[in-house]
Amino acid sequence: MEKLLLELEREILLKDLYEMDECPPLGHTPALMHAYVIRPENHGTPYQAFQQEVIKTPKLGFNEVLVKVMAAGVNYNGLWAGLGEPASPTAFHGKDFHIAGSDASGIVWEIGEGLKNNPEFKFKVGDEVIVHCGQTCGICQECNGGNPMLCESQKIWGYETPYGSFAQYTKVRAQQLLQKPKHLTWAEAGGYMLTYATVWRMLYGFAPNDLKPGTNVLVWGGSGGLGASAIQLIKLAGANAVAVTSSDERGEKCMELGAVGYINRKKFNCWGALPDIGNKEEYKEYLKEVRKFGSAIWDILGKKVNPDIVIDHIGSQTLPVSTYVVKSGGMVVFCGATSGFNMSFDASFVWMRQKRIQGSHFASLSELYHANQLILQKKFHPVISDVFTWDELPLAHQKMLDNSVEYGNIVINLAS
C-alpha cells in the first residue's frame, strides 16, 4: 500500500512542463519544453530571429534518442539559420519552424524502440553524452567502406534538421552519440565537437596533403573556435601553425595555444574579391600587398617557405590570398564562408603551380571517434571563451555576428 501511495504521489507531482532551472525525475519526459524557435517570418538579427517558445517535446523514431540538453555550442550555422541566408533552414526539412544548435552535451533521457534490445547500441538512460551533428543513412556504400560525408542522405543536425540543441530536449540518431569526457564540465563538453571534428577532417582527411610532422599550416581566424582547435592539433602533430588574427591580443592567445607565430591581418590591405587582372595598375598594387603578406609568413617560417596547407573558413575575403600564398603542390582547404559565398582566385596560380582547392564538410564517424580519443586521453582540451545563460542566447549569437568573441568557442549553459 505504501509503495502504491508513493507511485500515486509521484504521478501527481509530475508535470507537463518544467522551467529551465527545474529537472524532472529521470525517465519522465514532459509533454512540453522550452525552446528558442526560428520561424521564417522572423528571419533577421539574432534578437529578431531567436524567439523563446513552449512547444511539444519531439516524439522519437525507431532508432532515435531523446537527449536532455545540458549545454549547447554556438556556431556560425546558427547565424545563417537566424538570418535565413543563404536559405531558410525550413526549406531543408519542410517544417514551419526551426530549432538551431549543432553542438550539445547532455543526458540520455529516452531511447527509441529499435535501440532497446540492440546489442550494438552502448548507451542507456542516464548516460552522459556529447552529440555530434553528422547524420547519414548508415546503409549506403559511402557509409560502409566509402566516404560517409558523401552519403546522399547526409545532413547537419540543427541546421538541416528541425530539432537542434537550443531546447530543453532534442532528438538525435543513435550514431550521433559519443561518450562525454568525465573531466570536462557540461559547458566544456557542449561546445567543441563541430569545430574540432571539422578541422580534424581538414587536416587529416585529404591525403597526400594531410598533416604530418613538420608540415607548415596557415590558419585563418586562429583565435576562433575552429582556429584554436587547428593550432592545438597542428602542435600535437609536431607541425607548425601560423595564425592569422584581427588583433595582436588574439595573436598572443594563439601563441599560448601553440602557434609558432601570428600575423595581424589589419596591417595589410589585400582582402576581398580579386581585382580585374585587365586593370594592370590596380592588380599590380594588389599583388604588392599580397606579397607583403607573404613576406610576413616568411618572417615566421623562413625565407621562401610557404604553407603546405591553408585552413580557410572566411571565404570571399581571403580565398584569393590563400591560393596565392600556399606553396606549389599545396592545398587550400575550406569549410565555410563567413565573409561571403562568392569566391574568386587567379586560376593561373592554381593550375600552373598545381595547387589544390579542397572543400571539406564536418567529419565521418571514424574521424569523430579518433578525434574524441585525444580529449578522453586529455591530450587536447576544448577552448571556451564565454559561457552564456539561456536568456542570453541571442546575445551570444550577436557577439559572434559582430566578431567580438575573443577566442575559442562560446556555449549556452542549460544545466540546472
Side-chain angles (χ1 to χ4, degrees):
M1 178 63 71
E2 183 178 350
K3 182 178 179 182
L4 179 62
L5 288 173
L6 286 172
E7 289 179 356
L8 288 172
E9 183 180 358
R10 181 178 183 274
E11 289 181 12
I12 293 170
L13 291 174
L14 296 180
K15 300 188 294 185
D16 286 336
L17 176 68
Y18 289 77
E19 296 309 311
M20 295 303 300
D21 59 352
E22 295 182 302
C23 185
L26 184 64
H28 170 59
T29 302
L32 303 170
M33 67 177 185
H34 292 279
Y36 272 97
V37 179
I38 297 170
R39 298 188 182 274
E41 61 269 23
N42 292 329
H43 281 315
T45 66
Y47 289 104
Q48 178 181 334
F50 291 94
Q51 298 294 324
Q52 289 195 49
E53 294 187 23
V54 173
I55 66 171
K56 291 181 179 179
T57 305
K59 299 295 184 183
L60 293 184
F62 196 63
N63 289 319
E64 291 180 328
V65 179
L66 191 73
V67 174
K68 185 181 189 304
V69 181
M70 302 302 281
V74 175
N75 294 290
Y76 219 88
N77 66 8
L79 287 178
W80 290 332
L83 293 167
E85 297 175 359
S88 173
T90 58
F92 304 143
H93 51 66
K95 298 283 189 182
D96 63 356
F97 70 93
H98 180 73
I99 299 172
S102 296
D103 264 322
S105 60
I107 301 169
V108 175
W109 207 256
E110 190 178 330
I111 295 172
E113 288 299 320
L115 300 171
K116 290 181 178 177
N117 296 311
N118 185 342
E120 297 302 316
F121 184 68
K122 306 300 184 183
F123 297 97
K124 63 184 184 301
V125 171
D127 282 352
E128 297 182 356
V129 294
I130 55 175
V131 180
H132 73 78
C133 65
Q135 288 192 356
T136 61
C137 73
I139 58 175
C140 72
Q141 63 178 10
E142 293 293 356
C143 289
N144 292 274
N147 183 346
M149 292 310 291
L150 298 182
C151 169
E152 291 187 4
S153 300
Q154 187 275 322
K155 290 183 175 63
I156 295 297
W157 163 78
Y159 184 59
E160 296 171 288
T161 68
Y163 294 101
S165 59
F166 298 151
Q168 286 176 301
Y169 299 90
T170 186
K171 69 172 181 176
V172 302
R173 294 183 183 177
Q175 69 200 54
Q176 289 180 250
L177 300 183
L178 292 170
Q179 179 185 350
K180 173 188 173 289
K182 293 181 179 179
H183 63 282
L184 298 184
T185 65
W186 287 118
E188 288 172 329
Y192 71 83
M193 188 50 82
L194 188 150
T195 54
Y196 176 51
T198 295
V199 85
W200 177 283
R201 182 178 180 85
M202 294 173 82
L203 291 167
Y204 286 111
F206 303 103
N209 298 95
D210 50 333
L211 183 66
K212 303 173 182 71
T215 300
N216 298 310
V217 187
L218 185 72
V219 181
W220 291 100
S223 65
L226 189 142
S229 293
I231 290 169
Q232 289 188 79
L233 286 175
I234 293 163
K235 182 183 179 183
L236 279 170
N240 306 308
V242 177
V244 185
T245 66
S246 59
S247 72
D248 291 334
E249 290 76 18
R250 292 180 178 184
E252 290 299 328
K253 190 66 184 178
C254 294
M255 297 295 287
E256 292 174 15
L257 290 170
V260 297
Y262 74 89
I263 301 170
N264 184 342
R265 63 175 171 81
K266 294 288 183 69
K267 297 178 180 179
F268 305 88
N269 185 27
C270 48
W271 316 124
L274 186 75
D276 181 4
I277 296 176
N279 187 331
K280 292 186 177 180
E281 284 305 313
E282 184 181 3
Y283 190 66
K284 182 179 177 181
E285 285 301 311
Y286 168 78
L287 279 184
K288 181 180 177 181
E289 198 68 16
V290 173
R291 286 169 180 152
K292 188 173 134 184
F293 178 78
S295 293
I297 298 174
W298 290 356
D299 288 341
I300 297 168
L301 296 178
K303 191 168 180 60
K304 296 191 176 180
V305 179
N306 284 14
D308 301 281
I309 302 173
V310 176
I311 297 293
D312 196 330
H313 59 94
I314 310 299
S316 63
Q317 290 291 308
T318 56
L319 190 74
V321 176
S322 293
T323 55
Y324 184 89
V325 300
V326 72
K327 81 169 191 177
S328 296
M331 176 177 68
V332 177
V333 56
F334 72 100
C335 64
T338 57
S339 67
F341 298 92
N342 250 347
M343 302 190 197
S344 59
F345 62 91
D346 186 336
S348 67
F349 278 110
V350 175
W351 93 65
M352 294 180 72
R353 291 166 173 79
Q354 301 181 77
K355 300 180 180 186
R356 176 179 181 181
I357 300 176
Q358 175 68 55
S360 184
H361 191 45
F362 196 53
S364 69
L365 188 56
S366 175
E367 289 165 330
L368 285 157
Y369 172 81
H370 288 295
N372 205 42
Q373 287 302 301
L374 287 184
I375 298 188
L376 291 169
Q377 295 164 12
K378 301 183 181 180
K379 294 179 180 178
F380 178 101
H381 196 86
V383 179
I384 303 296
S385 170
D386 294 298
V387 179
F388 292 86
T389 66
W390 174 253
D391 289 333
E392 293 174 324
L393 186 144
L395 171 63
H397 283 83
Q398 188 64 49
K399 282 180 70 83
M400 178 169 281
L401 183 62
D402 294 339
N403 193 32
S404 60
V405 180
E406 287 303 313
Y407 62 90
N409 296 287
I410 54 178
V411 181
I412 308 300
N413 192 22
L414 284 76
S416 57

